[in-house]
Amino acid sequence: MTRAIIAGIENQQKNFSYLMKELAQLAEANGMETVADFSQKIDKPIAATYLGKGKIEEIAKAAQHYDAQYLILNDELSPTQIRNLEKETALSVLDRTELILEIFSNRAHTKEAQLQVEIARLKYQLPRLRSSSAISMDQQSAGSSAANRGAGETKLELNRRTIQHRIAFLNRELKAIEKEYDVKSKSRRESEVPRVALVGYTNAGKSTTLNGLISLLGGEEKQMVFEKDMLFATLDTSVRKLTFSDNKTFLLSDTVGFVNKLPHTLIEAFKSTLAEVREADLLIQVVDISDESSKEMIETTNRTLEEIGAANKPMIYAYNKADKAGIDFPSIEGLQITYSAKEKSSLQQLAGLIKGFLFKGYKTYTYLIPYTQGSYLEKLNVHANVLATDYTPDGSKVTAEVSPRQAGYYAKFLVKS
Ligand SMILES: Nc1nc2c(ncn2[C@@H]2O[C@H](COP(=O)(O)OP(=O)(O)OP(=O)(O)O)[C@@H](O)[C@H]2O)c(=O)[nH]1
Ligand SMILES: [Mg+2]
């Protein structure tokens, strides 16, 4: 395993130790073992080197002692800071943003995710581009000739343009995929089937919850998604149609998890993947209640939801891994549930909570639909919970449970009782 040293600057952040612990986990997710961690108490990073001179010396010593190859910093650094740190420690330097981008890049399996991650990486590089010749001229400053400087800038400009072209190309490819997705999403919107999205911190148990609900509601093995104890196991969005025993249907989606300081370029690139979340009627925020940092994770999740334009949606707080936390479960309080995604009665309670929320306005009516209006009967059979059908001389007499919206649509067939 690659050995890494992590380091960060501790100013007034109250959650610094949590951020550092998470940084070590991110390193692990990227196949690196954290052999030492350093922190420095200063108000703000040193402009040229991020850390102070003494701290850098300590790190260089530790690097030799542990035979480390990487130094990972807890913030996003400037190119100068990275270059100077590399020079002074003889380590390869990664900042938090690059580390997250690397993990995403290694985990991206679908074409869409791969395109999104590459766009995010290129966008991260773009403002940091400084061709090596341009940099050395900076340092020589006024002494360099105008001709030389011109050559450096041209090369830089060329690199910049190459990257911009590549981003444009990737965006076109992505658009083509998104178009397909748009069609699917449009037909979902029109189907009137309510949409629910699982959201939350990475590794909270979203995919496990989706799989649990699939198996509880009689879904098939092949509908199941990948779940694993690692950060960012899921990078794309899966949507599954689930049906209760009384024919009430909803769509449930599972998507990429969030993390602290999720790079903005990534959020941008993943916006289309996260469309399911934006368009959902109900969010289920899965929280790992056994993690001592669960509060910060909720804050991060809510902040990220705001950033992707999905704030202020109705939300069920689903406190998962209660078994691991040693808390009694399952229990429900309003729109909050404490449960374990691996336990059946928990999943039944969660399913009940979702159903109660989604179908609260549903009522049972009896309709008389003339045989000349057969399409209404077909729609009722597909979208509603039909309890009884009787074929009378005047038409089909149907008793069905329908949503408030459907009630308006079928009102003209109501049988006055
Ligand atoms: N003990 C315990 N472990 C759980 C529970 N729910 C999920 N896990 C474990 O937690 C790990 C992460 O679960 P996932 O469902 O992959 O988490 P996720 O939220 O989809 O994570 P990402 O896709 O990485 O964002 C897996 O190893 C699960 O087996 C639970 O109720 N109790
Ligand atoms: Mg997952």
Side-chain angles (χ1 to χ4, degrees), residues 206-207 226-227 233-234 254-255:
K206 298 177 294 298
S207 299
F226 180 62
E227 55 177 73
T234 306
D254 175 32
T255 192

Side-chain angles (χ1 to χ4, degrees), residues 2-65:
T2 314
R3 281 176 298 278
I5 292 175
I6 62 174
I9 286 173
E10 179 174 12
N11 37 35
Q12 270 82 42
Q13 309 130 289
K14 58 180 186 323
N15 56 352
F16 180 72
S17 63
Y18 157 64
L19 286 172
M20 289 298 284
K21 193 183 90 188
E22 187 179 74
L23 191 63
Q25 283 170 354
L26 287 167
E28 192 189 326
N30 200 35
M32 297 164 154
E33 181 195 0
T34 300
V35 289
D37 64 281
F38 289 87
S39 58
Q40 183 159 38
K41 280 196 176 128
I42 36 177
D43 283 343
K44 58 180 211 290
I46 310 283
T49 51
Y50 181 68
L51 297 163
K53 201 167 161 26
K55 196 58 73 180
I56 296 172
E57 276 166 16
E58 275 178 55
I59 289 172
K61 251 190 224 139
Q64 287 206 327
H65 180 258

Side-chain angles (χ1 to χ4, degrees), residues 268-281:
E268 269 302 308
F270 273 75
K271 274 223 163 121
S272 65
T273 299
L274 291 165
E276 255 337 285
V277 175
R278 254 190 324 276
E279 291 170 12
D281 303 295

Side-chain angles (χ1 to χ4, degrees), residues 276-318:
E276 255 337 285
V277 175
R278 254 190 324 276
E279 291 170 12
D281 303 295
L282 170 68
L283 301 182
I284 301 176
Q285 179 171 166
V286 180
V287 179
D288 179 352
I289 197 67
S290 75
D291 194 302
E292 56 183 15
S293 309
S294 58
K295 252 209 181 111
E296 280 103 338
M297 293 170 163
I298 293 173
E299 280 168 21
T300 300
T301 301
N302 288 337
R303 225 179 307 120
T304 313
L305 285 174
E306 238 167 68
E307 214 171 323
I308 62 165
N312 304 321
K313 283 193 181 279
M315 181 144 70
I316 290 176
Y317 280 93

